[in-house]
Amino acid sequence: MKTSIILETRNLTKTFLGFVAVDAVNLQVQRGQIHALIGPNGAGKTTCFNLLTKFIKPTQGQIYFDGQEITHDQPADIARKGIIRSFQISAVFPQLSVLDNVRIALQRNTGLSFHFWRSERSLTSLNARARALLDEVGLGGFADEITVNLPYGRKRALEIATTLAMEPSLMLLDEPTQGMGHEDVDRVTQLIKQVSAGRTILMVEHNMKVVSSIADRITVLARGAVLAEGDYAAVSSNPAVMEAYMGTTQGELEGAHA
């Protein structure tokens, strides 16, 4: 029987030449929720993500996925177990079509990974699934478009489609709305909410409006340590959180929820 906690860290710590980047972080991500990891610049959010996806090794502490310890697993092992970080399989082929980018991601689940020499006919079996994924992220009408021509927000939607192609149990989204205008932010926010149905998402996000509108639970990091945790109402009214965001007032945090 699967536990309700899909991902857990216990005293997860990372130091670099004496600097503590992640300081004894205890994190529990509930299955089926959108869990946001937030904090001011330098809080350790990205380092924490890198620890979870095994790009760097922890100095101490443990990581558990589905109740099994994965602290010493390799990045490829983590991906095979269903922990997929968006940029790992993002649309890295700008001169290929949108459809081809998704098909390449789908190949990794068929054992045909990056076999570009295979005939077009041998890959047509992936078309129906690829088009279904594009429909899911609102890119059904862009299947034949060359990826480099997509607007920025649509490219991020394509990254989510390629992430979904890996059939993740846990999606890790690193700043999914970074660099976007308001229209794209709103579109991608709704997309994340939409694709979260039946899935678990852990996301690093700086935009408090995004966090307030879709996150079920929020963990606030500051100086590498957990400063606060709870729903948006709880963390936005926490004086320590407001102090950590230098110059941020309670009114601004509350205003993000409007």
Side-chain angles (χ1 to χ4, degrees):
M1 181 177 178
K2 290 186 175 181
T3 174
S4 62
I5 298 172
I6 191 170
L7 180 73
E8 180 180 12
T9 68
R10 300 177 186 173
N11 296 314
L12 191 63
T13 301
K14 181 63 180 179
T15 61
F16 297 98
L17 300 175
F19 171 73
V20 182
V22 175
D23 187 3
V25 168
N26 294 308
L27 185 67
Q28 290 188 336
V29 178
Q30 298 284 332
R31 191 181 306 278
Q33 289 194 344
I34 298 177
H35 193 127
L37 196 61
I38 71 171
N41 290 335
K45 306 182 296 295
T46 297
T47 302
C48 195
F49 255 38
N50 286 337
L51 288 168
L52 295 176
T53 48
K54 316 310 298 174
F55 286 99
I56 57 176
K57 296 180 180 179
T59 305
Q60 63 184 50
Q62 295 83 40
I63 306 170
Y64 294 85
F65 178 67
D66 265 342
Q68 302 294 316
E69 185 173 3
I70 60 169
T71 311
H72 304 294
D73 286 11
Q74 297 300 310
D77 297 327
I78 298 299
R80 276 192 289 269
K81 288 177 178 176
I83 302 177
I84 305 296
R85 185 171 177 175
S86 57
F87 75 76
Q88 289 180 256
I89 35 72
S90 62
V92 293
F93 302 105
Q95 299 305 324
L96 294 183
S97 72
V98 169
L99 180 67
D100 282 342
N101 271 282
V102 179
R103 292 201 311 179
I104 287 169
L106 285 169
Q107 283 184 61
R108 295 184 61 173
N109 283 343
T110 66
L112 304 179
S113 295
F114 305 114
H115 288 189
F116 293 110
W117 59 85
R118 289 183 179 270
S119 69
E120 178 73 16
R121 186 182 306 170
S122 69
L123 298 179
T124 55
S125 62
L126 302 175
N127 284 354
R129 176 61 179 149
R131 290 185 183 278
L133 286 167
L134 290 176
D135 287 340
E136 188 171 354
V137 300
L139 292 178
F142 294 85
D144 297 322
E145 183 65 67
I146 301 302
T147 298
V148 72
N149 297 331
L150 288 181
Y152 183 67
R154 302 283 187 187
K155 287 177 182 174
R156 298 312 295 264
L158 178 56
E159 290 181 10
I160 292 175
T162 56
T163 303
L164 293 175
M166 297 300 296
E167 299 182 2
S169 300
L170 175 64
M171 294 175 63
L172 274 63
L173 303 180
D174 195 354
E175 300 274 17
T177 67
Q178 185 175 30
M180 291 183 183
H182 292 301
E183 183 177 336
D184 282 338
V185 167
D186 290 343
R187 181 186 296 117
V188 171
T189 300
Q190 291 308 309
L191 173 58
I192 293 169
K193 181 67 175 176
Q194 175 186 320
V195 302
S196 71
R199 300 183 175 102
T200 307
I201 295 176
L202 176 62
M203 58 188 288
V204 168
E205 181 54 64
H206 68 285
N207 187 318
M208 292 300 291
K209 182 179 179 181
V210 173
V211 171
S212 69
S213 63
I214 64 173
D216 299 298
R217 191 163 186 84
I218 301 165
T219 298
V220 185
L221 292 184
R223 301 183 186 90
V226 174
L227 182 65
E229 191 168 85
D231 60 16
Y232 180 77
V235 300
S236 66
S237 60
N238 187 313
V241 173
M242 288 182 281
E243 184 179 352
Y245 281 86
M246 291 183 297
T248 300
T249 66
Q250 184 172 4
E252 287 174 328
L253 281 170
E254 291 176 343
H257 188 52

